[in-house]
PDB file of all heavy atoms in Angstrom:
ATOM      1  N   ALA A 209       2.387  14.008  34.282  1.00  0.00           N
ATOM      2  CA  ALA A 209       2.451  12.828  33.405  1.00  0.00           C
ATOM      3  C   ALA A 209       1.877  13.137  32.026  1.00  0.00           C
ATOM      4  O   ALA A 209       2.392  12.654  31.007  1.00  0.00           O
ATOM      5  CB  ALA A 209       1.688  11.674  34.061  1.00  0.00           C
ATOM      6  N   MET A 210       0.834  13.955  31.973  1.00  0.00           N
ATOM      7  CA  MET A 210       0.275  14.342  30.663  1.00  0.00           C
ATOM      8  C   MET A 210       1.303  15.126  29.858  1.00  0.00           C
ATOM      9  O   MET A 210       1.442  14.917  28.639  1.00  0.00           O
ATOM     10  CB  MET A 210      -0.985  15.177  30.875  1.00  0.00           C
ATOM     11  CG  MET A 210      -2.149  14.441  31.486  1.00  0.00           C
ATOM     12  SD  MET A 210      -3.523  15.589  31.821  1.00  0.00           S
ATOM     13  CE  MET A 210      -4.670  14.517  32.649  1.00  0.00           C
ATOM     14  N   ILE A 211       2.015  16.035  30.532  1.00  0.00           N
ATOM     15  CA  ILE A 211       3.033  16.834  29.830  1.00  0.00           C
ATOM     16  C   ILE A 211       4.117  15.923  29.250  1.00  0.00           C
ATOM     17  O   ILE A 211       4.557  16.107  28.108  1.00  0.00           O
ATOM     18  CB  ILE A 211       3.644  17.872  30.798  1.00  0.00           C
ATOM     19  CG1 ILE A 211       2.581  18.909  31.188  1.00  0.00           C
ATOM     20  CG2 ILE A 211       4.840  18.563  30.169  1.00  0.00           C
ATOM     21  CD1 ILE A 211       3.039  19.887  32.264  1.00  0.00           C
ATOM     22  N   VAL A 212       4.524  14.937  30.016  1.00  0.00           N
ATOM     23  CA  VAL A 212       5.550  14.009  29.534  1.00  0.00           C
ATOM     24  C   VAL A 212       5.044  13.230  28.325  1.00  0.00           C
ATOM     25  O   VAL A 212       5.758  13.061  27.329  1.00  0.00           O
ATOM     26  CB  VAL A 212       5.977  13.058  30.664  1.00  0.00           C
ATOM     27  CG1 VAL A 212       6.955  12.016  30.141  1.00  0.00           C
ATOM     28  CG2 VAL A 212       6.601  13.842  31.809  1.00  0.00           C
ATOM     29  N   THR A 213       3.806  12.759  28.406  1.00  0.00           N
ATOM     30  CA  THR A 213       3.243  11.994  27.276  1.00  0.00           C
ATOM     31  C   THR A 213       3.144  12.856  26.026  1.00  0.00           C
ATOM     32  O   THR A 213       3.477  12.410  24.915  1.00  0.00           O
ATOM     33  CB  THR A 213       1.855  11.451  27.660  1.00  0.00           C
ATOM     34  OG1 THR A 213       1.975  10.623  28.816  1.00  0.00           O
ATOM     35  CG2 THR A 213       1.259  10.646  26.526  1.00  0.00           C
ATOM     36  N   ILE A 214       2.691  14.082  26.184  1.00  0.00           N
ATOM     37  CA  ILE A 214       2.569  14.973  25.013  1.00  0.00           C
ATOM     38  C   ILE A 214       3.947  15.295  24.442  1.00  0.00           C
ATOM     39  O   ILE A 214       4.150  15.268  23.228  1.00  0.00           O
ATOM     40  CB  ILE A 214       1.826  16.258  25.426  1.00  0.00           C
ATOM     41  CG1 ILE A 214       0.378  15.918  25.808  1.00  0.00           C
ATOM     42  CG2 ILE A 214       1.843  17.280  24.294  1.00  0.00           C
ATOM     43  CD1 ILE A 214      -0.364  17.077  26.451  1.00  0.00           C
ATOM     44  N   TRP A 215       4.905  15.578  25.327  1.00  0.00           N
ATOM     45  CA  TRP A 215       6.251  15.920  24.868  1.00  0.00           C
ATOM     46  C   TRP A 215       6.886  14.769  24.096  1.00  0.00           C
ATOM     47  O   TRP A 215       7.547  14.975  23.077  1.00  0.00           O
ATOM     48  CB  TRP A 215       7.106  16.283  26.084  1.00  0.00           C
ATOM     49  CG  TRP A 215       8.513  16.650  25.761  1.00  0.00           C
ATOM     50  CD1 TRP A 215       8.962  17.820  25.209  1.00  0.00           C
ATOM     51  CD2 TRP A 215       9.676  15.840  25.981  1.00  0.00           C
ATOM     52  NE1 TRP A 215      10.322  17.777  25.070  1.00  0.00           N
ATOM     53  CE2 TRP A 215      10.787  16.576  25.540  1.00  0.00           C
ATOM     54  CE3 TRP A 215       9.875  14.570  26.521  1.00  0.00           C
ATOM     55  CZ2 TRP A 215      12.078  16.084  25.611  1.00  0.00           C
ATOM     56  CZ3 TRP A 215      11.171  14.068  26.592  1.00  0.00           C
ATOM     57  CH2 TRP A 215      12.250  14.836  26.139  1.00  0.00           C
ATOM     58  N   LYS A 216       6.647  13.559  24.573  1.00  0.00           N
ATOM     59  CA  LYS A 216       7.237  12.391  23.907  1.00  0.00           C
ATOM     60  C   LYS A 216       6.528  12.046  22.597  1.00  0.00           C
ATOM     61  O   LYS A 216       7.131  11.488  21.688  1.00  0.00           O
ATOM     62  CB  LYS A 216       7.191  11.184  24.839  1.00  0.00           C
ATOM     63  CG  LYS A 216       8.082  10.031  24.392  1.00  0.00           C
ATOM     64  CD  LYS A 216       8.072   8.913  25.397  1.00  0.00           C
ATOM     65  CE  LYS A 216       9.092   7.839  25.029  1.00  0.00           C
ATOM     66  NZ  LYS A 216       9.008   7.388  23.662  1.00  0.00           N
ATOM     67  N   GLY A 217       5.253  12.380  22.485  1.00  0.00           N
ATOM     68  CA  GLY A 217       4.497  12.008  21.288  1.00  0.00           C
ATOM     69  C   GLY A 217       4.518  13.050  20.181  1.00  0.00           C
ATOM     70  O   GLY A 217       4.052  12.764  19.074  1.00  0.00           O
ATOM     71  N   LEU A 218       5.031  14.249  20.453  1.00  0.00           N
ATOM     72  CA  LEU A 218       5.010  15.307  19.441  1.00  0.00           C
ATOM     73  C   LEU A 218       5.758  14.885  18.176  1.00  0.00           C
ATOM     74  O   LEU A 218       5.231  14.986  17.064  1.00  0.00           O
ATOM     75  CB  LEU A 218       5.627  16.581  20.012  1.00  0.00           C
ATOM     76  CG  LEU A 218       4.736  17.431  20.927  1.00  0.00           C
ATOM     77  CD1 LEU A 218       5.505  18.640  21.452  1.00  0.00           C
ATOM     78  CD2 LEU A 218       3.499  17.890  20.170  1.00  0.00           C
ATOM     79  N   GLY A 219       6.994  14.441  18.338  1.00  0.00           N
ATOM     80  CA  GLY A 219       7.802  14.073  17.175  1.00  0.00           C
ATOM     81  C   GLY A 219       7.248  12.868  16.435  1.00  0.00           C
ATOM     82  O   GLY A 219       7.329  12.797  15.208  1.00  0.00           O
ATOM     83  N   TYR A 220       6.669  11.932  17.182  1.00  0.00           N
ATOM     84  CA  TYR A 220       6.140  10.716  16.559  1.00  0.00           C
ATOM     85  C   TYR A 220       4.983  11.042  15.604  1.00  0.00           C
ATOM     86  O   TYR A 220       4.993  10.623  14.441  1.00  0.00           O
ATOM     87  CB  TYR A 220       5.680   9.766  17.657  1.00  0.00           C
ATOM     88  CG  TYR A 220       5.127   8.462  17.161  1.00  0.00           C
ATOM     89  CD1 TYR A 220       5.952   7.516  16.578  1.00  0.00           C
ATOM     90  CD2 TYR A 220       3.770   8.186  17.278  1.00  0.00           C
ATOM     91  CE1 TYR A 220       5.449   6.321  16.116  1.00  0.00           C
ATOM     92  CE2 TYR A 220       3.246   6.987  16.817  1.00  0.00           C
ATOM     93  CZ  TYR A 220       4.084   6.055  16.249  1.00  0.00           C
ATOM     94  OH  TYR A 220       3.577   4.871  15.787  1.00  0.00           O
ATOM     95  N   TYR A 221       4.023  11.803  16.088  1.00  0.00           N
ATOM     96  CA  TYR A 221       2.883  12.128  15.232  1.00  0.00           C
ATOM     97  C   TYR A 221       3.214  13.231  14.232  1.00  0.00           C
ATOM     98  O   TYR A 221       2.508  13.388  13.227  1.00  0.00           O
ATOM     99  CB  TYR A 221       1.686  12.518  16.093  1.00  0.00           C
ATOM    100  CG  TYR A 221       1.197  11.372  16.944  1.00  0.00           C
ATOM    101  CD1 TYR A 221       1.276  11.422  18.334  1.00  0.00           C
ATOM    102  CD2 TYR A 221       0.673  10.236  16.358  1.00  0.00           C
ATOM    103  CE1 TYR A 221       0.843  10.365  19.114  1.00  0.00           C
ATOM    104  CE2 TYR A 221       0.240   9.175  17.126  1.00  0.00           C
ATOM    105  CZ  TYR A 221       0.330   9.239  18.505  1.00  0.00           C
ATOM    106  OH  TYR A 221      -0.098   8.172  19.259  1.00  0.00           O
ATOM    107  N   MET A 222       4.273  14.005  14.481  1.00  0.00           N
ATOM    108  CA  MET A 222       4.713  14.990  13.498  1.00  0.00           C
ATOM    109  C   MET A 222       5.103  14.304  12.185  1.00  0.00           C
ATOM    110  O   MET A 222       4.828  14.826  11.094  1.00  0.00           O
ATOM    111  CB  MET A 222       5.908  15.764  14.064  1.00  0.00           C
ATOM    112  CG  MET A 222       6.484  16.788  13.123  1.00  0.00           C
ATOM    113  SD  MET A 222       8.090  17.396  13.688  1.00  0.00           S
ATOM    114  CE  MET A 222       9.146  15.955  13.390  1.00  0.00           C
ATOM    115  N   VAL A 223       5.728  13.146  12.289  1.00  0.00           N
ATOM    116  CA  VAL A 223       6.110  12.403  11.089  1.00  0.00           C
ATOM    117  C   VAL A 223       4.867  11.987  10.297  1.00  0.00           C
ATOM    118  O   VAL A 223       4.851  12.022   9.066  1.00  0.00           O
ATOM    119  CB  VAL A 223       6.953  11.182  11.488  1.00  0.00           C
ATOM    120  CG1 VAL A 223       7.285  10.325  10.284  1.00  0.00           C
ATOM    121  CG2 VAL A 223       8.233  11.623  12.183  1.00  0.00           C
ATOM    122  N   PHE A 224       3.818  11.602  10.992  1.00  0.00           N
ATOM    123  CA  PHE A 224       2.559  11.249  10.325  1.00  0.00           C
ATOM    124  C   PHE A 224       2.059  12.429   9.483  1.00  0.00           C
ATOM    125  O   PHE A 224       1.682  12.283   8.316  1.00  0.00           O
ATOM    126  CB  PHE A 224       1.493  10.876  11.372  1.00  0.00           C
ATOM    127  CG  PHE A 224       1.660   9.501  11.938  1.00  0.00           C
ATOM    128  CD1 PHE A 224       2.841   9.115  12.553  1.00  0.00           C
ATOM    129  CD2 PHE A 224       0.632   8.582  11.890  1.00  0.00           C
ATOM    130  CE1 PHE A 224       2.997   7.861  13.087  1.00  0.00           C
ATOM    131  CE2 PHE A 224       0.763   7.311  12.417  1.00  0.00           C
ATOM    132  CZ  PHE A 224       1.959   6.956  13.027  1.00  0.00           C
TER     133      PHE A 224
END
Side-chain angles (χ1 to χ4, degrees):
M210 293 175 185
I211 293 173
V212 175
T213 301
I214 294 170
W215 180 75
K216 195 176 187 310
L218 281 178
Y220 181 70
Y221 295 115
M222 178 193 71
V223 176
F224 282 57

